[in-house]
Amino acid sequence: MEAAAVIALCLPLPGSPAAKNAPSDPEAVLQTAERLGAFPAVYQNLRAMGVPLPDEWQQRFRDNFVHNLALRQEESRLVARLMRAGLDCRAIKGVRLVELLYPDLSWRAVADIDLLAPRAQVEAAYSELKAAGLRDVAQPWNPQSLARQVAQPAHAFAELVLRSPQGLIVELHWDWPGDALPPASPADDSDTYLLYLARHAGKHFWCSLQNLTDLELYLRKFSDRIDWDRFWRLARRTGWARLAAASFHLCAMLFGRPLRLGEQRAAARSGEALARRAATLLVADSKPWWWRHKPLRLLRVYTWPQRISRCWLWLAPPPWHWNHPGSFSSKDVWLRRYRLLFWQGLACFTPWPAWRRRLERAAEASTGDWLLLAGAFGTLSLVRIGLALIPYHRLQRWATTLGKPPSVPLDRDAVLRAAKFVDFAAGHHPVPMRCLARSLALSRLLARRGVPTEIKMGVRTENGNLDGHAWTEWRGEPINDPHQRVCHFVELASPRRS
């Protein structure tokens, strides 16, 4: 089995590995190693055995090494800048962990730069990183949302994710489980650092063999430094004793060794059962349905108090919901959260992929979008009735009569968005809506918001038949029809009303 070969090759092998132990299908082993997150170490060991490897794998190995070198250079620059600014920030995991545990930087893939800061200095560190040229991966954090993000409990695994000018990902954390950061390196506090590594592996439900390899190497190199009494006191105080026990059980299962005396001290049955489940899922080709959702994976590693707290945090608006530009009241944020939960819940329980994608798109619409869509449906219905009962000139005058303009005038994007919603409502209306009804409804919808428009009509001949069309113009630009189509019609003069 390729997974067993990968596990046997994911640790640096002592001495010169024997070629007779080389796997019969190195290509399959490398593919499995890449899937499990242990490719560089497996590649190094296969190469040491003298196994011939394709050039494409050699190029991937080189690319990983170059990427790690770039991460180390950028990490050193950022840490030095933060320290000069008087901020007590440290690099944790990443290239520093590789240098601590492995022969060199080429033995492990590193995805990003992990920076650790005291909770009280996160906002200042974030500002300093932005001043260093980094940009948020998502929307920039405003002071209100940033304060809420920093106040998240440790089991929420809150972080700030930024991108450097070179495209490297930088994550800012403040979840150190100890009382204070060591003065030089987080690894100097061996007990707390071990808990940090065990918790990081379990945070992702041990889905990466790479994280377990880090933990095993750390235990092999520094287990004699660990004060196990202090370690388990710290694990119980922070609520991670079960997760740490499961991590130790999992390392013992995968690497074929007995549990050490210190590891057994709080290795409860629940931790052993959790480790067996994680070991099965780690090497499985297909994952259960709940695996696709990170919150559901986390609920399986949490203790019951953490589960209750996390469920409440999940139901409440997350900090990034307060992150949108403009002025939003608390009511707006809470309504947005439950609107998203409603549509996401429908999408999760919908068996048809096409409908699931539509529901996911619906979740992205704001409250204003839904009000605009409801107004489009209602206005189309009124226009359809009016065309049957009222003379056209009166209906046109009603559609273009301006209402009170909003405090912030609508720009071109907002006008085109209104046209898009009218077209969507017309396409899904139970009564067929032709171009004239759509144009009248759009003009009415914009006129109520103080936006003046004109309803145009034109004709053309097609295959010997006279074809008519109506559209809406704003500042001389067709907004519910492309100009390439409208230009083929000869515009009719507006009728004079007596």
Side-chain angles (χ1 to χ4, degrees):
M1 185 180 179
E2 288 80 10
V6 170
I7 293 172
L9 294 170
C10 67
L11 296 172
L13 300 179
S16 300
K20 64 180 181 180
N21 297 326
S24 58
D25 189 357
E27 178 75 22
V29 170
L30 287 172
Q31 290 177 355
T32 305
E34 190 171 43
R35 177 172 63 85
L36 296 179
F39 160 68
V42 172
Y43 180 90
Q44 285 276 41
N45 286 321
L46 289 176
R47 188 173 64 172
M49 291 178 177
V51 177
L53 301 171
D55 292 340
E56 63 171 305
W57 291 105
Q58 184 179 12
Q59 186 59 46
R60 293 186 195 182
F61 177 78
R62 290 174 177 172
D63 291 343
N64 171 71
F65 188 31
V66 171
H67 182 69
N68 286 357
L69 291 174
L71 286 172
R72 182 172 62 179
Q73 182 178 4
E74 180 67 7
E75 179 185 282
S76 300
R77 180 182 78 90
L78 295 177
V79 171
R81 176 167 184 142
L82 291 169
M83 296 296 287
R84 286 197 302 270
L87 300 172
D88 190 22
C89 296
R90 304 284 185 270
I92 191 166
K93 302 197 310 293
V95 293
R96 300 295 176 95
L97 181 62
V98 179
E99 292 173 334
L100 180 69
L101 300 179
Y102 294 85
D104 57 63
L105 277 180
S106 67
W107 277 79
R108 185 188 189 275
V110 181
D112 51 32
I113 298 170
D114 293 292
L115 300 177
L116 186 68
R119 189 181 292 265
Q121 296 184 7
V122 171
E123 296 183 29
Y126 172 73
S127 299
E128 189 65 28
L129 290 174
K130 296 293 288 290
L134 276 67
R135 295 292 176 263
D136 295 272
V137 171
Q139 284 188 339
W141 294 86
N142 59 35
Q144 186 178 18
S145 61
L146 181 57
R148 289 176 176 270
Q149 179 77 338
V150 175
Q152 292 280 293
H155 62 266
F157 297 108
E159 62 190 12
L160 301 177
V161 185
L162 303 102
R163 191 185 302 275
S164 73
Q166 297 80 20
L168 304 175
I169 298 297
V170 179
E171 294 181 354
L172 181 61
H173 304 269
W174 52 94
D175 55 349
W176 182 247
D179 296 324
L181 278 172
S185 169
D188 292 341
D189 186 351
S190 302
D191 309 335
T192 310
Y193 195 67
L194 175 61
L195 179 59
Y196 197 90
L197 293 179
R199 189 186 63 174
H200 177 72
K203 175 176 78 170
H204 303 288
F205 206 84
W206 304 277
C207 63
S208 172
L209 183 60
Q210 179 175 268
N211 295 333
L212 291 167
T213 303
D214 297 340
L215 187 59
E216 178 65 16
L217 284 175
Y218 191 86
L219 287 168
R220 292 187 181 189
K221 289 192 172 187
F222 305 110
S223 59
D224 56 339
R225 300 184 186 178
I226 304 299
D227 181 349
W228 289 104
D229 290 330
R230 178 174 179 262
F231 173 86
W232 288 115
R233 284 198 305 271
L234 187 61
R236 286 190 294 270
R237 189 188 75 185
T238 55
W240 298 116
R242 174 172 172 264
L243 186 146
S247 296
F248 297 149
H249 270 292
L250 192 53
C251 286
M253 292 177 192
L254 293 177
F255 300 108
R257 62 167 179 83
L259 282 172
R260 298 176 178 86
L261 182 62
E263 298 169 3
Q264 295 179 19
R265 192 167 305 180
R269 291 183 180 178
S270 60
E272 184 177 1
L274 186 60
R276 293 187 184 279
R277 179 62 169 158
T280 302
L281 291 175
L282 176 65
V283 299
D285 294 329
S286 60
K287 311 294 186 185
W289 66 271
W290 53 268
W291 185 268
R292 298 190 301 268
H293 306 283
K294 183 179 178 180
L296 296 181
R297 294 204 307 267
L298 282 174
L299 288 179
R300 291 176 177 262
V301 304
Y302 282 150
T303 61
W304 276 108
Q306 290 170 338
R307 288 171 182 168
I308 294 172
S309 173
R310 192 65 183 89
C311 286
W312 165 246
L313 291 173
W314 183 70
L315 290 173
W320 55 87
H321 278 199
W322 306 81
N323 210 24
H324 298 277
S327 177
F328 287 89
S329 66
S330 297
K331 182 181 71 173
D332 295 332
V333 176
W334 280 82
L335 286 175
R336 181 175 183 270
R337 175 58 174 168
Y338 284 106
R339 188 185 67 251
L340 286 174
L341 289 179
F342 172 75
W343 290 109
Q344 290 171 355
L346 287 180
C348 287
F349 292 103
T350 300
W352 304 288
W355 276 97
R356 189 179 301 119
R357 289 191 295 270
R358 292 174 184 174
L359 292 172
E360 288 172 352
R361 287 198 301 269
E364 299 173 0
S366 65
T367 302
D369 292 336
W370 285 108
L371 292 175
L372 185 60
L373 183 60
F377 269 104
T379 307
L380 283 166
S381 301
L382 290 175
V383 167
R384 189 69 178 82
I385 296 171
L387 286 172
L389 301 178
I390 303 174
Y392 173 74
H393 69 274
R394 293 178 57 188
L395 191 62
Q396 183 186 20
R397 185 167 65 247
W398 167 78
T400 54
T401 299
L402 297 180
K404 183 180 178 181
S407 56
V408 179
L410 272 67
D411 58 9
R412 183 176 183 275
D413 290 339
V415 171
L416 294 179
R417 190 169 183 81
K420 179 180 177 181
F421 274 88
V422 170
D423 282 341
F424 179 85
H428 293 79
H429 202 281
V431 179
M433 294 291 170
R434 306 299 295 268
C435 58
L436 182 58
R438 296 182 184 214
S439 299
L440 287 166
L442 177 57
S443 292
R444 176 59 182 167
L445 208 61
L446 293 173
R448 290 181 58 189
R449 291 161 174 78
V451 179
T453 58
E454 292 183 273
I455 300 174
K456 302 290 187 177
M457 292 186 182
V459 293
R460 69 176 179 181
T461 57
E462 185 175 4
N463 298 328
N465 298 320
L466 189 65
D467 183 25
H469 185 56
W471 65 93
T472 301
E473 289 188 0
W474 173 70
R475 296 179 179 176
E477 175 189 1
I479 56 175
N480 61 341
D481 259 322
H483 178 74
Q484 294 83 351
R485 182 186 179 192
V486 170
C487 67
H488 292 294
F489 290 87
V490 177
E491 183 181 335
L492 298 177
S494 301
R496 299 193 175 201
R497 295 192 293 270
S498 56

